[in-house]
Structure formats: structure tokens, C-alpha cells
Amino acid sequence: MSTIFFVLRGIFKPGFLFCLCILIASLDLAHAASGKYTIEAIQRIGLQANGLMQAARAQVDIAEADVVSAAALPNPEVTVMAGPDSPRLPEIDTGPASMQRQVTVSQPLENPFVRSARIGSAQAGVEASRANLEQVRADLAAQLRVRTYEFLLRRGLAEMESDIFNLMQEIQRRIKLSVDVGEVARFELIRADTEVMTAASRKEAAMLDTERARIALLQLTAGALEQGFDIEASLTDPVELPSLDALRADLPGSNPEILRLEAERDRASLRIEQERAAVLPSVDILYSNYQDKQFTSNTVGLSLRIPLFYRRSGEINAAISDAARVRETLDYRRFEVVRLLESAWQTMEIARRRVEMFEGGIVREAESALRVAETAFRLGERGFIEVLDTQRVLRNARSELLQARFELQAAAAEIDRLRAHYPKD
């Protein structure tokens, strides 16, 4: 599907943009209704339907709920006590019996340093969950893209094996006619029958591989695609990427795993601050009201908890070690992700050279050689063996070309995965 945007001065207003989005969505739906999907449409469908995406979104919701919990103020405690007085001496000495009641309210005063560190840690957890969601999206989008091109590869190999099978059938028919008129020995027909059965077996295996690739796509999209879907793409689709230097410079700010580890580093640092601040004494405000038959008493006080014997050294050391672990992991992953980018780039360049090599002459020369061998076979100048040899050379060349095209697209998908480049909502 190709969408043409007409950019005119002054027309990009909110209403126009909304209508434009509706138009693009309707075009995608029209292609889906016809059973043909672009790679971008398959990625969008998979990102909406896959269960792992739903689970990652739920993790973001959980992290946002944790922020609400971290920002909540502590609740007061109310204690009510009541009961009768039972005199132990004669009533003439103590007076008549009475009821007494006592109400005590306790309100914790939260340490502001602990509170701010706890809220910041929860907010960093939200950023880590969002980065994790972005990573799941990028991984799934890349996997969908690779599986789509694998389906195109398997279908191309199946078409190639079908052409070879048709060629073997045609040669078998010609040899059978020659055997019937006594021009060649029956041994040639037996050899041709064997080659036809071999070609039929390879054709059937290639078709089964195509269906297996189709099932893998259905699995990744949770069955949202039609059973007999078709792909509106090709292994010859152009691969357009920024330069390696530009990708290397932008990678630290776009790679989801690096962003997630940075958020976890911030959360670990705030946890250290939270544990250190927890060493400070905590205070509760107390208010008590006491009533009996003769007196009413109102008292106000403070309850102070002092960490005198244990000053949370274990929790602080654990937080420091966890922060060091996250920091070391972040430094290593920054280095490793850049190396993965460079490796994927080199793989892409190697695949591009292989494609150019096979397209530049090997496949054409093998096709010309097969045509010459077929013509010579029909004229009786060459035997069946020469046709088989040239056909095998062409088959290997076409297989290598299809594989090289697939590896080129897979390497480009890996680069897009590392930089989280996929169709956004």
C-alpha cells in the first residue's frame, strides 16, 4: 500500500490531521479485508493482538498504581477503651461506681526524605516499565517483520521447486517419447522418473515450509490474520537506513533496554537514599481524651522511635550493592548494544554484496546455461545429464540469491529492533 501525502501551506490543522489519520486507517482496513497485508499492517495487528504486549501494558499500569501507593499519606490510628469502675472499698469511702472512657488518636508524621525517595523510586519504576514495554514492542515488531520475510522466502523457494518440477516433467515426457520410438535406452527414462520424484518431494517439502511460516505469523498475531492471507511485500524491497555513524550516535537514546536500565539505575539510587533516610527517628503525634463520672482529661504527646541498636546497615548495604549491579549492567549493555549494531550492519552489508553478486551475473549466466542445455537436449545434441547439471547450478544460485535477500531484510530488521524503529500507534 502506498499513501501519497499532499503538503500544502496552511492545511495542517487538527481537523485535517484527524481526517488524514482516519483515511490511512481505512486504507489499512481495506487491504486487510481483501486478505492482503503490508508488513507495517502485520506489525500493527501483532502489536495489538499479541498477549505478551497486553502483559507488558499491565506491568505499566501496576507501576503507575505503585506511584499512587507511594504518594499516599499514612492513616491515623484511633483507639477506644471503655468499661465500668468496680469499687474495692466500701461505697462510703469511694463513692458510687461509674463508667470510664478513653479515646486515643495517633497520627504518624512521615519522614519527608523517606517519602520523596519512595515516590521518586516508584516513578522511576514507571519509566522502567514503559521502557520494558517499548522493548517488548520493538522485539515483537522485528520478529513479525523477520517472520513475514521468511514466509516470502519459503514461498519463493516453493515457486522455484515448482518450476523445477515442471521442467523435470517436461524432460520426462520427451524422454518417454524417445524411449517409445527406440531412440534412447530405457535407463534414461528410469533416471528421469527418479529426478521427477525427487523434484516432487522437494516441492512438497517447500510448500510445507511455506505453511509452517504462515502458521508462525498467525501465532505471533494471535490468529488476528485471515487463514489464507497474502503479503503485499517482496524480498527485493529496498532497505533504507541512516548511516552507521548516525545510528551509533542515536542508539543510546533510543534503545529500550538501555533506557530501562537507566531507569532502574535511578530507582536503585533512590532506594539508597530511602534506606539512609529511614535511619532518622520517626515521630507520631498522640492525642488522648479520658472521661469518667468526675473528671475529663485531654492530653497531647509525641511518640518517638529511635533506631538506637540497629541502624539498617543490612538494608543500606543491599541497596548499595544492587545499585552497583545495575550500574555495571548498564555500562556493559551500552557497550554490547553498540557492538550488536555494528555486527548487524556488517551482516547487512555482506548480504547486500551477495545479492549484488548473484543478481549481477551468476543467476543470469546460470539461466542462460540452462536454456542452452534445454535447446541442445531438444535437438539431441546433449544428454539428460547436462540438463540436470545446469539445472542444479541454477537451483543453487537462485536459492542463494533468495537466502541473501532474506538475510539482508533480517539484518535491517535487527537494526530497527535495536533502535526501536517500528510502526507507532
Side-chain angles (χ1 to χ4, degrees), residues 280-320:
L280 298 176
S282 58
V283 180
D284 293 351
I285 297 179
L286 303 176
Y287 167 75
S288 179
N289 175 265
Y290 173 81
Q291 292 182 3
D292 59 17
K293 189 172 182 180
Q294 293 180 335
F295 302 99
T296 297
S297 174
N298 293 296
T299 57
V300 178
L302 296 176
S303 174
L304 188 64
R305 289 188 296 274
I306 303 175
L308 183 61
F309 300 106
Y310 180 65
R311 300 182 59 82
R312 302 185 66 83
S313 58
E315 289 81 354
I316 293 174
N317 291 334
I320 293 174

Side-chain angles (χ1 to χ4, degrees), residues 12 33 67 79 81 85 131 142 151 192 213 235 241 257 309 319 361-362 379 391 422:
F12 282 102
V67 175
T79 304
M81 301 176 65
D85 289 332
F151 171 76
L235 288 173
L241 292 171
E257 186 175 5
F309 300 106
I362 295 179
L379 297 176
Q391 179 269 321
Y422 60 90

Side-chain angles (χ1 to χ4, degrees), residues 219-287:
Q219 178 182 356
L220 286 176
T221 56
L225 300 177
E226 297 182 7
Q227 290 293 330
F229 67 87
D230 195 9
I231 305 298
E232 192 174 337
S234 172
L235 288 173
T236 59
D237 290 342
V239 174
E240 298 178 357
L241 292 171
S243 64
L244 179 59
D245 292 336
L247 290 172
R248 191 186 291 113
D250 295 339
L251 193 63
S254 60
N255 183 264
E257 186 175 5
I258 292 179
L259 297 177
R260 177 181 60 82
L261 288 172
E262 288 176 347
E264 291 184 357
R265 177 201 58 192
D266 296 339
R267 181 168 58 178
S269 299
L270 289 169
R271 185 190 167 198
I272 296 175
E273 296 180 8
Q274 179 181 349
E275 295 297 340
R276 286 175 174 170
V279 177
L280 298 176
S282 58
V283 180
D284 293 351
I285 297 179
L286 303 176
Y287 167 75

Side-chain angles (χ1 to χ4, degrees), residues 11-287:
I11 65 174
F12 282 102
K13 297 180 179 180
F16 175 78
L17 293 176
F18 177 75
C19 295
L20 186 61
C21 293
I22 294 297
L23 175 61
I24 295 174
S26 62
L27 290 175
D28 286 338
L29 289 175
H31 275 78
S34 63
K36 288 188 176 182
Y37 300 90
T38 62
I39 292 181
E40 181 176 337
I42 290 177
Q43 288 176 318
R44 291 183 183 276
I45 292 172
L47 291 175
Q48 289 295 328
N50 191 278
L52 294 178
M53 288 299 306
Q54 307 302 328
R57 290 191 184 98
Q59 289 294 329
V60 176
D61 296 337
I62 293 172
E64 291 175 348
D66 289 339
V67 175
V68 177
S69 301
L73 295 173
N75 293 317
E77 293 184 10
V78 179
T79 304
V80 179
M81 301 176 65
D85 289 332
S86 299
R88 299 174 59 189
L89 298 175
E91 185 175 339
I92 190 171
D93 295 331
T94 62
S98 65
M99 289 288 294
Q100 64 174 353
R101 176 182 62 83
Q102 182 177 359
V103 178
T104 303
V105 180
S106 174
Q107 174 62 55
L109 292 182
E110 191 172 15
N111 187 328
F113 302 105
V114 174
R115 175 179 174 81
S116 62
R118 186 178 67 244
I119 295 175
S121 178
Q123 291 172 343
V126 173
E127 296 302 321
S129 298
R130 288 175 179 169
N132 181 68
L133 173 61
E134 189 74 6
Q135 183 176 354
V136 173
R137 282 175 174 167
D139 292 346
L140 180 59
Q143 193 174 5
L144 285 166
R145 182 175 171 183
V146 172
R147 291 296 184 183
T148 302
Y149 280 115
E150 183 182 0
F151 171 76
L152 295 175
L153 169 66
R154 300 304 175 187
R155 189 171 66 180
L157 291 174
E159 292 173 354
M160 180 190 69
E161 297 295 348
S162 179
D163 294 340
I164 295 174
F165 175 71
N166 294 334
L167 174 63
M168 291 297 101
Q169 279 190 321
E170 176 64 22
I171 294 176
Q172 180 196 37
R173 186 184 64 82
R174 291 181 178 274
I175 292 178
K176 187 174 184 306
L177 292 176
S178 300
V179 170
D180 291 341
V181 299
E183 294 181 357
V184 296
R186 189 169 184 82
F187 173 74
E188 293 293 331
L189 180 58
I190 296 174
R191 180 181 294 173
D193 292 340
T194 303
E195 291 296 332
V196 168
M197 288 187 292
T198 303
S201 176
R202 288 200 303 263
K203 174 185 174 182
E204 182 178 359
M207 293 177 66
L208 291 176
D209 286 339
T210 304
E211 291 304 313
R212 180 182 57 81
R214 183 189 298 272
I215 292 172
L217 269 177
L218 289 173
Q219 178 182 356
L220 286 176
T221 56
L225 300 177
E226 297 182 7
Q227 290 293 330
F229 67 87
D230 195 9
I231 305 298
E232 192 174 337
S234 172
L235 288 173
T236 59
D237 290 342
V239 174
E240 298 178 357
L241 292 171
S243 64
L244 179 59
D245 292 336
L247 290 172
R248 191 186 291 113
D250 295 339
L251 193 63
S254 60
N255 183 264
E257 186 175 5
I258 292 179
L259 297 177
R260 177 181 60 82
L261 288 172
E262 288 176 347
E264 291 184 357
R265 177 201 58 192
D266 296 339
R267 181 168 58 178
S269 299
L270 289 169
R271 185 190 167 198
I272 296 175
E273 296 180 8
Q274 179 181 349
E275 295 297 340
R276 286 175 174 170
V279 177
L280 298 176
S282 58
V283 180
D284 293 351
I285 297 179
L286 303 176
Y287 167 75

Side-chain angles (χ1 to χ4, degrees), residues 10 30 61 294 322 385 424:
D61 296 337
Q294 293 180 335
D322 185 61
I385 297 299
K424 302 295 192 298

